[in-house]
Amino acid sequence: MKIVQTQFKPNTIQLGISACVVGQGVRFDGGHKRLGFADRELREYVSYVPVCPEVAIGLSVPRPTIRQVEADNQIRVVGSTDKSIDVTDDLHQYSEQQAKQLSGLSGFIVCAKSPSCGMERIKVYHPEGHTLRHDSVGVFTKALMEKHPLLPVEENGRLCDPVLRENFVTRVFAYHAWQQLVASGLTSDKLIKFHSRYKFLVMANHQTSYRTLGQLISDLSSNSLDDVADEYITGLMYALKQRAGRKGHTNALMHLQGYFKRSIGTNERQALADVIDKYRQGILPLMAPMTLIQHLLVKFPNEYLSQQVYIKPHPEKLALRQQL
């Protein structure tokens, strides 16, 4: 079995990926499921760690297809047509071992519909061949998510949705920033500054988490720093997984607007308010108020706002907010 090991590299975002999604011809038919966004745009900012559980356990390319089959309340991974093929034990063993070795990753892109790599809605069949349900998870991905519950994981197909794509990349960059913080040596001061930078991003995504995390950070003396840090990153990743809508973004934008009241003139203040309202109504995309805010920050510098991750949570070149 081929086990891939990773260690965290502070200056490199390492992203796990199903090998077929990055263009490797490892599928049952010798083909691939190349995702253009991953293999072109995102590749410029990450280092990929390709994994194919089925090839890793010794299955050939090409090979007979496999599926999840339930019998006697147990799911086995067996051949779709050749019932003599049973890779359940090998796949579980590999998945458990591999998941333990991937602690250096900041995210993972898996292949949809795969009995080994699918993230959700995997078909489970009856031994006689008919479909029982569509609610399973690929064996490898299940082990990965159980071992690394905070790790951003997404399927290739879902990343074609602009909202899900932006949300996933935001979580990857946030999780990597947290890994960098921990690797540098966590202190109370560093944790407070980290939260300060992420306040508006959390505000846009999940108001309840915004309040909860603020309360957690406000009293670091009650618990050990490690315990607070664990609770904080769990809460942060939960908050960022919630997809921000126009209501959440509008709320965050209006709070940002408040910081300009004393520095900008009446015309500029009204122009910003108008753009934010047109975004709220769905007339303008999110990039419109964000671009204006960045322009105002150049003209009227504000150190606190300039450090807000919400203003630029990922590289602008990815253009992930143009369709939001």
Side-chain angles (χ1 to χ4, degrees):
M1 295 184 183
K2 183 180 179 180
I3 302 294
V4 179
Q5 186 170 3
T6 65
Q7 294 182 339
F8 179 67
K9 300 176 181 178
N11 298 320
T12 303
I13 297 179
Q14 296 184 98
L15 208 62
I17 193 166
S18 293
C20 61
V21 176
V22 81
Q24 295 185 16
V26 294
R27 285 178 56 78
F28 71 94
D29 58 359
H32 58 76
K33 283 283 186 177
R34 179 178 175 272
L35 176 64
F37 170 72
D39 203 33
R40 292 194 304 269
E41 292 89 343
L42 193 56
R43 181 184 284 277
E44 184 176 342
Y45 304 98
V46 304
S47 175
Y48 284 122
V49 179
V51 176
C52 179
E54 295 175 23
V55 171
I57 63 173
L59 294 180
S60 62
V61 179
R63 58 183 176 275
T65 59
I66 56 176
R67 59 170 57 168
Q68 294 189 12
V69 175
E70 184 176 53
D72 300 324
N73 296 318
Q74 183 182 28
I75 294 180
R76 307 290 298 180
V77 185
V78 301
S80 300
T81 55
D82 186 350
K83 300 301 189 289
S84 67
I85 299 175
D86 188 329
V87 296
T88 309
D89 295 338
D90 286 345
L91 198 54
H92 275 287
Q93 181 183 358
Y94 170 81
S95 298
E96 293 294 331
Q97 292 178 352
Q98 183 65 91
K100 293 178 182 178
Q101 301 300 318
L102 296 176
S103 58
L105 299 180
S106 299
F108 210 111
I109 301 175
V110 296
C111 184
K113 301 180 181 181
S114 165
S116 58
C117 289
M119 186 183 77
E120 60 181 21
R121 299 191 299 274
I122 301 304
K123 289 184 180 180
V124 178
Y125 293 84
H126 186 276
E128 294 183 0
H130 59 271
T131 303
L132 288 175
R133 58 181 192 275
H134 302 74
D135 62 356
S136 190
V137 180
V139 174
F140 169 74
T141 302
K142 182 179 180 180
L144 177 72
M145 294 192 298
E146 288 178 350
K147 183 65 177 178
H148 306 284
L150 302 181
L151 185 73
V153 178
E154 193 53 272
E155 288 184 335
N156 55 335
R158 284 165 52 93
L159 287 175
C160 294
D161 181 304
V163 175
L164 296 178
R165 183 167 60 242
E166 195 273 341
N167 178 270
F168 172 70
V169 176
T170 294
R171 287 186 287 135
V172 166
F173 275 83
Y175 193 52
H176 183 257
W178 176 261
Q179 291 171 310
Q180 288 180 306
L181 174 66
V182 173
S184 71
L186 185 65
T187 66
S188 296
D189 183 58
K190 287 181 180 180
L191 180 56
I192 291 171
K193 289 180 179 178
F194 183 91
H195 176 66
S196 178
R197 293 173 52 233
Y198 278 85
K199 287 178 67 174
F200 284 94
L201 187 59
V202 175
M203 179 188 294
N205 282 61
H206 199 241
Q207 273 288 310
T208 301
S209 295
Y210 174 76
R211 293 189 293 269
T212 301
L213 292 176
Q215 293 170 359
L216 179 66
I217 293 298
S218 67
D219 185 14
L220 294 178
S221 61
S222 299
N223 298 292
S224 73
L225 181 59
D226 288 342
D227 288 343
V228 172
D230 288 343
E231 187 174 348
Y232 179 82
I233 187 56
T234 299
L236 177 65
M237 297 311 295
Y238 171 80
L240 297 186
K241 195 171 184 179
Q242 315 310 306
R243 297 189 289 276
R246 288 189 181 272
K247 182 178 180 180
H249 280 304
T250 299
N251 181 47
L253 289 167
M254 291 178 69
H255 276 78
L256 284 173
Q257 179 187 18
Y259 283 85
F260 287 107
K261 283 185 177 180
R262 296 183 179 179
S263 56
I264 64 179
T266 302
N267 292 339
E268 290 168 318
R269 185 161 53 248
Q270 187 60 51
L272 178 56
D274 289 345
V275 170
I276 292 174
D277 190 58
K278 286 181 180 178
Y279 164 74
R280 180 188 64 80
Q281 296 179 60
I283 299 172
L284 293 175
L286 181 60
M287 280 302 296
M290 295 306 303
T291 300
L292 182 53
I293 286 173
Q294 291 184 46
H295 169 74
L296 290 173
L297 279 174
V298 172
K299 192 173 181 180
F300 306 99
N302 183 302
E303 184 177 358
Y304 176 69
L305 294 188
S306 296
Q307 294 176 351
Q308 288 301 313
V309 174
Y310 176 65
I311 294 176
K312 193 168 74 171
H314 32 62
E316 289 181 334
K317 190 176 178 180
L318 289 173
L320 296 176
R321 284 178 160 177
Q322 288 187 355
Q323 299 182 55
L324 300 185

